[in-house]
Amino acid sequence: MTDKESLKLPISSARRSLALSFYTFLSRILGLVRDHFMAVSFGTGMVASAFSVAYRLPNMFRNLLAEGTLSQSFMPIFSEYEAMGVEAARVMAGTVLSFLFLSLSIFVAVFWVFAAQFLPILVGGSPEYGNLVVELSLVLFFLIMTASLSSIFMSISNSHHKYFIPSLSPIILNLSYLTVFLFFFPFISDLRERVFTLAYGIVAGGIIQLFVQAIFVYKLGYGPLFRLNFRHPAIKKIFKLMLPAALGGSFYQIGLLVDIFLANYIQNANPGLGAVVSLDYAQRLVQLPTGIIGVALATTILPSLLRDLRAGEKARVPAEILDVLSFAFFLTIPAAIGLSVLGETVLDAIYYGGRWDELATKTALLPLIFYSIAIPFYSSNKVLVSSYYAFQDTKTPLRVQFVSFTMSIGLSLSLMFFLKHGAIALSSAISAFVTSGLLIFFLKRHEVKIPWLSLAGRLSVMVLPFLGLSTWLLFGEWYLKPLLKQTWGLDISHAGISRISLLVSILPSVFIFFGLSVFVKLKEAEIILGRVLKRFFK
């Protein structure tokens, strides 16, 4: 492959991911606004903890199915059937959707029957707390149905490089939150009534999500033709691919669930700590860069790798993966540095006020720092797992994620008596690092050899921009923030000072980072700035 070809290859996935990242960025900004209202409305008390646990259950399955194994297992099979004709692809999609709808209906029904028996045992605490978790779970668990069915429609759109409408899915869900906060909460003062109103509003948003995705796919001309045919070859094939992937993904998701139950245990042993909600909010902040960058790159690289493999151009795969990983590190390492250095300021700027106080910030700070240092690995893992799916290999990620799951649980149990809920975040960060190393190592099974010297060379060039960014952020946090407090502390609220301080730290650091990146001629910066300038001058 020539140098010229090498330069052209990465730009396709990277540039597509930029568009998807922009749409995801809008969703995550709405998510921060949503989280602000959640924090000031509910704080870190019993109602907030119960909602976090109840929402975590359907969210676990949503992440497992909608954002992971189901959609990525479905896409290669849909691509195969599309090669046979549009009609065959539509029948295949309809058959999978029909089977999925039936399976999920049974699953949700079973949960509704047994939730009251097992959930209070798992969460512990007072009977009032356990009952509130059960009641909220019965409402929110329906989200599994809408999110999983939506993921099939989103996969069909993504397979044709249509990313805008699929990216609206989380935006719609966040808007359903904000609608409840802005138009219902002013008339509701009781916390219990508020939290149930919010739960029903979220379910309504999930139903709207599904209809929007379905209508778009039908307009594309790929609307599924529904058939309940258990013998259709696609059913066996997709679930053969999906089962190991689901098991692998379930280790991560069950790990998150175990984390929340361990946090419940720590919270019950340390009244007033607010460990459950603190971990939840720290994770959400980390999911901002991970979702914008990691999910976008993982979503766009899979169709690109499938295209290369169908065209018999397997030699392009290592270069594609290398460039996407390099692009991910270029964007996620600054995010990791920023959240680690500015953690306290970020928490106060977004959440402070109402029921969220200084104690809540201190409780969430250590988990946020630990989660933040693993942002590059959370993101790269999404890209690497997508790469395995392109080879229809779901067993290797399964084995790797089992190792990661076991390690994370062991570390959490070992460290929780010393670091309390911070141990859970640190364990997650360490296991993410190990997962990245193992996923990269085992790619050789598919004759994919990452050119390490080339990757190391690119990362070494990024050192200067990273240093420039870090220097300014430390200067802003250690010197400018105290100065702002002394100057404006009497006239502006604590949250207001934090927001001003955040702007003073972040905006110059962005210019410093990209300025130094252009100075050292980083290709990743040229791609981003080229895209931004092109849109600006348009």
Side-chain angles (χ1 to χ4, degrees):
M1 184 170 22
T2 67
D3 290 342
K4 188 175 180 181
E5 289 173 327
S6 168
L7 283 170
K8 290 171 66 178
L9 281 174
I11 295 177
S12 58
S13 290
R15 285 189 175 172
R16 288 192 188 107
S17 72
L18 281 178
L20 183 57
S21 293
F22 176 73
Y23 306 140
T24 309
F25 175 73
L26 295 179
S27 168
R28 299 292 175 171
I29 292 300
L30 285 175
L32 290 180
V33 177
R34 170 203 69 195
D35 288 347
H36 167 76
F37 281 108
M38 281 290 297
V40 300
S41 299
F42 298 110
T44 59
M46 184 192 75
V47 172
S49 296
F51 181 85
S52 291
V53 175
Y55 187 71
R56 180 63 63 90
L57 289 169
N59 199 47
M60 177 185 77
F61 289 101
R62 188 196 74 179
N63 289 337
L64 180 61
L65 296 175
E67 293 183 4
T69 57
L70 177 59
S71 56
Q72 291 180 322
S73 299
F74 174 84
M75 200 181 296
I77 311 301
F78 181 80
S79 181
E80 287 181 11
Y81 275 85
E82 191 178 6
M84 304 176 194
V86 174
E87 186 81 5
R90 294 178 67 193
V91 170
M92 174 265 180
T95 304
V96 171
L97 277 168
S98 301
F99 183 83
L100 186 63
F101 177 78
L102 178 62
S103 302
L104 289 172
S105 298
I106 296 170
F107 181 55
V108 171
V110 169
F111 177 83
W112 282 344
V113 170
F114 293 104
Q117 282 73 47
F118 72 88
L119 274 182
I121 298 172
L122 290 174
V123 300
S126 66
E128 182 186 7
Y129 177 64
N131 290 334
L132 184 57
V133 171
V134 171
E135 292 172 21
L136 287 170
S137 298
L138 294 178
V139 177
L140 292 169
F141 211 71
F142 187 72
L143 285 172
I144 294 174
M145 181 80 73
T146 58
S148 300
L149 297 176
S150 295
S151 72
I152 296 295
F153 291 105
M154 292 162 66
S155 294
I156 295 172
S157 300
N158 287 338
S159 68
H160 295 91
H161 300 297
K162 304 291 184 183
Y163 300 115
F164 174 64
I165 298 299
S167 71
L168 289 180
S169 205
I171 292 175
I172 291 169
L173 197 61
N174 284 328
L175 287 175
S176 69
Y177 273 90
L178 296 179
T179 299
V180 173
F181 289 137
L182 295 174
F183 298 104
F184 289 86
F185 275 21
F187 307 101
I188 304 172
S189 57
D190 181 68
L191 277 184
R192 185 182 173 87
E193 189 178 348
R194 277 188 167 195
V195 79
F196 277 99
T197 303
L198 181 61
Y200 284 112
I202 295 168
V203 170
I207 294 170
I208 296 171
Q209 269 184 332
L210 176 58
F211 278 109
V212 169
Q213 301 304 328
I215 290 169
F216 180 69
V217 167
Y218 276 95
K219 285 188 175 182
L220 277 179
Y222 289 90
L225 299 173
F226 292 96
R227 307 277 193 277
L228 190 56
N229 179 8
F230 294 103
R231 296 184 177 180
H232 193 287
I235 294 291
K236 182 178 180 181
K237 192 165 187 179
I238 195 170
F239 285 99
K240 183 180 179 182
L241 278 178
M242 185 180 163
L243 183 59
L247 288 172
S250 68
F251 289 131
Y252 174 71
Q253 297 301 330
I254 291 172
L256 292 179
L257 198 59
V258 171
D259 287 351
I260 212 74
F261 291 136
L262 287 176
N264 261 290
Y265 172 80
I266 294 167
Q267 183 170 282
N268 293 334
N270 299 271
L273 182 63
V276 174
V277 179
S278 298
L279 278 174
D280 200 16
Y281 282 121
Q283 282 181 353
R284 289 184 188 184
L285 285 174
V286 167
Q287 287 167 359
L288 176 65
T290 304
I292 292 173
I293 301 161
V295 173
L297 287 169
T299 302
T300 54
I301 194 176
L302 181 56
S304 297
L305 293 181
L306 287 171
R307 180 199 61 210
D308 291 341
L309 293 174
R310 279 201 309 267
E313 296 177 343
K314 190 175 180 180
R316 292 189 176 191
V317 170
E320 185 82 28
I321 296 174
L322 168 69
D323 284 291
V324 172
L325 286 176
S326 176
F327 201 76
F329 287 136
F330 174 75
L331 293 173
T332 56
I333 291 176
I337 295 169
L339 279 176
S340 299
V341 174
L342 304 176
E344 183 180 1
T345 306
V346 170
L347 288 167
D348 283 340
I350 297 173
Y351 302 135
Y352 195 89
R355 295 177 178 271
W356 186 280
D357 54 18
E358 290 181 10
L359 177 61
T361 294
K362 290 179 181 177
T363 307
L365 180 58
L366 188 60
L368 176 60
I369 293 171
F370 286 148
Y371 281 131
S372 297
I373 60 179
I375 288 173
F377 305 112
Y378 293 136
S379 299
S380 61
N381 287 346
K382 293 179 183 296
V383 172
L384 291 167
V385 169
S386 278
S387 302
Y388 279 95
Y389 290 161
F391 290 99
Q392 299 190 19
D393 174 10
T394 53
K395 292 182 179 179
T396 301
L398 166 63
R399 297 186 182 103
V400 169
Q401 286 157 343
F402 174 73
V403 172
S404 175
F405 168 76
T406 307
M407 175 183 294
S408 181
I409 299 301
L411 286 172
S412 293
L413 291 172
S414 302
L415 299 173
M416 60 188 284
F417 298 103
F418 306 102
L419 296 173
K420 294 188 172 63
H421 59 304
I424 297 172
L426 179 59
S427 302
S428 174
I430 293 171
S431 63
F433 171 75
V434 173
T435 299
S436 291
L438 292 175
L439 287 173
I440 291 172
F441 177 77
F442 287 117
L443 272 175
K444 65 181 183 180
R445 292 182 175 180
H446 299 287
E447 300 176 1
V448 175
K449 295 181 180 179
I450 306 294
W452 293 111
L453 289 178
S454 179
L455 180 59
R458 291 192 190 186
L459 292 177
S460 66
V461 178
M462 295 179 191
V463 169
L464 181 61
F466 292 154
L467 284 175
L469 172 85
S470 303
T471 302
W472 180 264
L473 291 179
L474 289 169
F475 175 73
E477 187 70 4
W478 292 349
Y479 179 75
L480 294 180
K481 182 180 174 182
L483 188 63
L484 287 171
K485 284 184 177 180
Q486 292 172 11
T487 307
W488 291 334
L490 297 176
D491 303 318
I492 301 178
S493 68
H494 181 71
I497 289 289
S498 298
R499 288 163 192 159
I500 294 170
S501 176
L502 206 57
L503 287 174
V504 170
S505 294
I506 290 178
L507 289 180
S509 70
V510 170
F511 285 103
I512 290 170
F513 178 69
F514 278 99
L516 290 173
S517 297
V518 171
F519 175 74
V520 296
K521 299 180 179 179
L522 280 174
K523 180 171 58 179
E524 290 79 5
E526 293 173 5
I527 293 173
I528 295 173
L529 293 175
R531 189 75 177 235
V532 171
L533 291 173
K534 183 179 178 182
R535 286 187 176 273
F536 177 78
F537 285 112
K538 244 181 184 178

